């Protein structure tokens, strides 16, 4: 008989055995065919705390509504096209994925397509299988001393750049959100998109599909490229306009292409497939044993953290987005500072203003606002407060939280100051820091009082006139009350 006191995790698609091992013995694990709605919806309605999926299971508004008590949707992969993130957020359900699980696999496939396109591997292979020795027909191009243009210089783009530099390629990149200094560290020049299009011998795309990037490489862009250029897209379908690419290839304005993703998938009938200049694969970027295992383990760990009340850095619907390693130790500290401030104030604050100072201020600290809201709500007895629903719960109660940063911190390498404002017009100032290599949490100031105090589960703060006998009276009163 299953131990129903354990949290229930529903695995709705086939995942690696390492996924279940990573979950451990603390969960009741159920399975279903998530692609079959008639099987999925009853399985969710039976009561689950978390559901693990890949790409075939649609966790839309209907599925989320049927899963009362659901806390986590975990996608063992990168994309979230099959998850209604707004509906999950409204329901207070955390959505996590495995954003780094397939970056090596995706980078390697982009390189494979680039090499296959440069040397006509696919059509030459097909010709040989058909009994044709077509050496003269498939004369390709070297990569050595050629220019590679990387459109989107995130983690995968950087991996591709690093590997292609070993081929002797000069790498340039277009990424409006990246600092030039970071690119320079990697030996890459940041350029405008028009410069990249004009200068590149090979172009590889590594952008998500958004309103801004849809058909970014379209008809106008393809009029600016060299006629010898080869274009690779192993990122997201729809960033490269397939109709415009076909026209450019047939008119001789583009020499070749390597495609792993398409605007509509599955895609089995495209005019591009008829061209020898095109090598195509059916969205295989993450399809390696290693990537699948990494993804399963990553989301299993995320589920463990989420169901134990910890923050999950890969949660996509927590305000603040991805959380820098340097910021993560400050999350529980801010939560505790807010709890102390709220207890001292005696009621829920109307606003909490945070200022992050010192070394950590160079990171995105916005998630700390959610930590403060969560701590204040918990201090007033609110239950089931998470990083997903804390902002909405706080808004309902008229509470706000803000974060400001400054790199100046004269006394500590890093510190966080908090000012909580209360409905009666009073304020509570509380400051904290993380000390030493072990990041020991310390409260260093409450209002005008300097302290060196680690926050604990049970703390008593008293305000009194500093004269002999006060502490003794309080102690005697406490004993008498017992």
């Amino acid at each position: 008989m299953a131990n129903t006191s354990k949290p229930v995790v529903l695995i709705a698609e086939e995942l690696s055995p390492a996924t279940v091992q990573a979950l451990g013995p603390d969960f009741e694990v159920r399975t279903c065919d998530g692609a079959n709605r008639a099987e999925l919806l009853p399985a969710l309605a039976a009561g689950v705390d978390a559901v693990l999926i890949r790409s075939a299971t649609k966790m839309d508004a209907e599925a989320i509504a049927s899963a009362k008590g659901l806390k986590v949707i975990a996608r063992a992969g990168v994309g979230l096209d099959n998850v209604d993130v707004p509906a999950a957020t409204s329901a207070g359900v955390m959505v996590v994925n495995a954003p780094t699980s397939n970056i090596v696999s995706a980078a390697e496939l982009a390189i494979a397509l680039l090499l296959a396109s440069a040397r006509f591997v696919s059509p030459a292979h097909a010709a040989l299988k058909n009994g044709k020795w077509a050496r003269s027909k498939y004369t390709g191009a070297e990569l050595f001393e050629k220019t590679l243009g990387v459109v989107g210089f995130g983690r995968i783009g950087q991996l591709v750049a690093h590997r292609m530099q070993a081929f002797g390629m000069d790498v340039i990149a277009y990424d409006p959100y990246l600092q030039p200094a970071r690119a320079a560290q990697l030996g890459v020049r940041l350029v405008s998109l028009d410069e990249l299009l004009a200068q590149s011998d090979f172009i590889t795309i590594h952008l998500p599909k958004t309103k801004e990037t849809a058909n970014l490489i379209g008809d106008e862009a393809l009029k600016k490229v060299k006629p010898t250029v080869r274009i690779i897209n192993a990122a997201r379908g729809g960033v490269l306009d397939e109709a415009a690419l076909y026209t450019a290839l047939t008119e001789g304005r583009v020499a070749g292409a390597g495609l792993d993703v398409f605007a509509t998938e599955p895609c089995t009938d495209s005019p591009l497939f008829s061209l020898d200049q095109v090598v195509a694969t059916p969205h295989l970027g993450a399809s390696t044993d290693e990537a699948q295992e990494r993804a399963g383990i990553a989301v299993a760990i995320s589920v463990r953290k989420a169901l134990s009340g910890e923050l999950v850095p890969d949660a996509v619907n927590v305000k603040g987005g991805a959380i820098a390693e340097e910021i993560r130790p400050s999350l529980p500290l801010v939560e505790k500072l807010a709890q102390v401030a709220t207890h001292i104030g005696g009621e829920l604050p109307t606003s909490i203003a945070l200022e992050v100072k010192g070394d950590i201020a160079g990171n995105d600290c916005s998630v700390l606002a959610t930590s403060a809201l969560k701590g204040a709500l918990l201090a007033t007895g609110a239950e089931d407060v998470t990083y997903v629903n804390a902002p909405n719960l706080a808004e309902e109660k008229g509470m706000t939280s803000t974060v400001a940063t400054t790199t100046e911190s004269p006394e500590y390498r890093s510190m966080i100051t908090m000012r909580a404002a209360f409905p009666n017009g009073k304020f509570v100032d509380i400051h904290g820091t993380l000390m030493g290599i072990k990041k020991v949490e310390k409260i260093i100031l409450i209002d005008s009082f300097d302290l060196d105090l680690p926050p604990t589960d049970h703390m008593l703060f008293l305000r009194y006139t500093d004269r002999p006998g006060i502490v003794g009276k309080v102690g005697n009163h406490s004993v008498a009350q017992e």
Side-chain angles (χ1 to χ4, degrees):
M1 182 173 172
N3 183 0
T4 54
S5 66
K6 294 181 178 181
V8 176
V9 176
L10 177 66
I11 298 180
E13 297 184 51
E14 185 176 352
L15 297 172
S16 73
T19 304
V20 177
Q21 293 173 11
L23 281 171
D26 301 326
F27 303 94
E28 178 189 343
V29 177
R30 302 174 186 170
T31 60
C32 77
D33 179 4
N36 182 346
R37 298 289 283 190
E39 191 172 328
L40 173 67
L41 296 180
L44 292 170
V48 300
D49 295 280
V51 58
L52 273 63
I53 63 173
R54 289 180 62 187
S55 57
T57 303
K58 293 193 180 299
M59 287 301 297
D60 52 19
E62 180 189 25
I64 293 167
S66 69
K68 303 300 182 185
L70 181 65
K71 299 178 180 66
V72 190
I73 299 171
R75 161 79 158 89
V78 178
L80 287 164
D81 297 342
N82 54 326
V83 180
D84 189 333
V85 177
T89 303
S90 297
V93 178
M94 182 180 290
V95 179
V96 302
N97 62 352
T100 62
S101 61
N102 73 344
I103 59 174
V104 172
S105 295
E108 289 180 356
L109 182 66
I111 292 167
L113 290 171
L114 191 153
L115 288 164
S117 174
R119 301 306 298 269
F120 292 102
V121 170
S122 183
H125 170 73
L128 192 57
K129 287 189 71 174
N130 288 326
K132 298 178 182 178
W133 187 261
R135 287 187 65 193
S136 59
K137 183 177 181 181
Y138 298 118
T139 301
E142 287 187 354
L143 309 185
F144 182 62
E145 295 186 340
K146 297 292 175 41
T147 297
L148 173 66
V150 183
V151 181
F153 205 57
R155 287 170 294 199
I156 297 174
Q158 291 174 22
L159 287 176
V160 171
H162 176 68
R163 285 154 173 74
M164 299 319 293
Q165 285 169 330
F167 279 75
M169 299 192 83
D170 176 38
V171 182
I172 59 178
Y174 165 72
D175 192 320
Y177 303 106
L178 190 74
Q179 293 297 321
R182 172 58 182 157
Q185 287 176 345
L186 301 171
V188 173
R189 288 186 297 117
L190 280 185
V191 298
S192 69
L193 181 58
D194 282 349
E195 289 176 295
L196 183 145
L197 294 170
Q199 296 175 23
S200 298
D201 300 296
F202 294 83
I203 295 172
T204 180
I205 298 168
H206 299 286
L207 291 173
K209 184 184 177 183
T210 64
K211 291 180 180 179
E212 291 75 25
T213 64
N215 292 328
L216 179 69
I217 309 300
D219 186 58
E220 289 302 314
L222 295 176
K223 291 177 181 177
K224 301 173 182 178
V225 299
K226 297 178 181 180
T228 54
V229 75
R230 290 172 168 84
I231 301 174
I232 311 302
N233 187 15
R236 279 289 178 264
V239 178
L240 173 62
D241 186 327
E242 293 161 26
L245 176 64
Y246 178 81
T247 300
L249 285 163
T250 55
E251 292 179 357
R253 293 186 285 111
V254 170
L259 307 174
D260 183 51
V261 291
F262 305 89
T264 301
E265 296 183 358
C267 178
T268 57
D269 183 18
S270 168
L272 289 164
F273 299 161
S274 66
L275 303 178
D276 276 356
Q277 306 100 301
V278 175
V279 55
T281 48
H283 205 148
L284 298 180
S287 296
T288 62
D289 291 338
E290 295 85 353
Q292 295 303 317
E293 184 163 303
R294 279 195 297 267
I297 292 172
V299 295
I301 292 171
S302 292
V303 165
R304 289 185 63 88
K305 287 182 176 180
L307 294 184
S308 64
E310 295 181 48
L311 176 69
V312 181
D314 293 329
V316 301
N317 58 343
V318 170
K319 288 190 175 180
I323 301 164
E325 289 283 351
E326 296 80 2
I327 294 298
R328 295 177 192 179
S330 299
L331 296 167
L333 172 64
V334 169
E335 193 173 317
K336 291 168 186 173
L337 294 179
Q339 287 178 297
V340 172
T342 302
H343 282 300
I344 291 175
E347 58 184 325
L348 192 70
T350 55
S351 66
I352 297 176
L354 297 166
E355 186 171 19
V356 182
K357 301 180 177 182
D359 291 352
I360 63 172
N363 300 282
D364 182 355
C365 302
S366 56
V367 70
L368 296 178
T370 304
S371 287
L373 297 174
K374 183 171 183 277
L377 288 164
L378 289 171
T380 59
E383 297 180 352
D384 298 324
V385 183
T386 70
Y387 278 84
V388 177
N389 62 16
N392 289 340
L393 292 173
E395 185 178 1
E396 290 172 3
K397 296 179 180 294
M399 180 174 58
T400 62
S401 181
T402 60
V403 178
T405 58
T406 175
T407 55
E408 296 183 7
S409 180
E411 298 181 42
Y412 299 90
R413 290 190 64 179
S414 296
M415 65 179 290
I416 296 169
T417 71
M418 176 184 293
R419 166 163 273 211
F422 294 88
N424 59 8
K426 293 184 178 180
F427 295 89
V428 172
D429 291 316
I430 181 167
H431 301 179
T433 190
L434 297 166
M435 303 190 74
I437 296 174
K438 294 185 177 180
K439 306 290 185 184
V440 176
E441 298 173 348
K442 289 291 182 72
I443 298 174
I444 55 177
L445 180 141
I446 296 179
D447 290 338
S448 58
F449 299 99
D450 291 324
L451 302 168
D452 184 0
L453 182 68
T456 61
D457 290 338
H458 302 287
M459 305 178 76
L460 175 65
F461 296 95
L462 302 172
R463 291 181 186 269
Y464 59 90
T465 303
D466 189 12
R467 64 174 186 263
I470 295 294
V471 174
K473 287 183 179 180
V474 171
N476 288 334
H477 179 73
S478 298
V479 171
Q481 289 293 321
E482 291 178 1

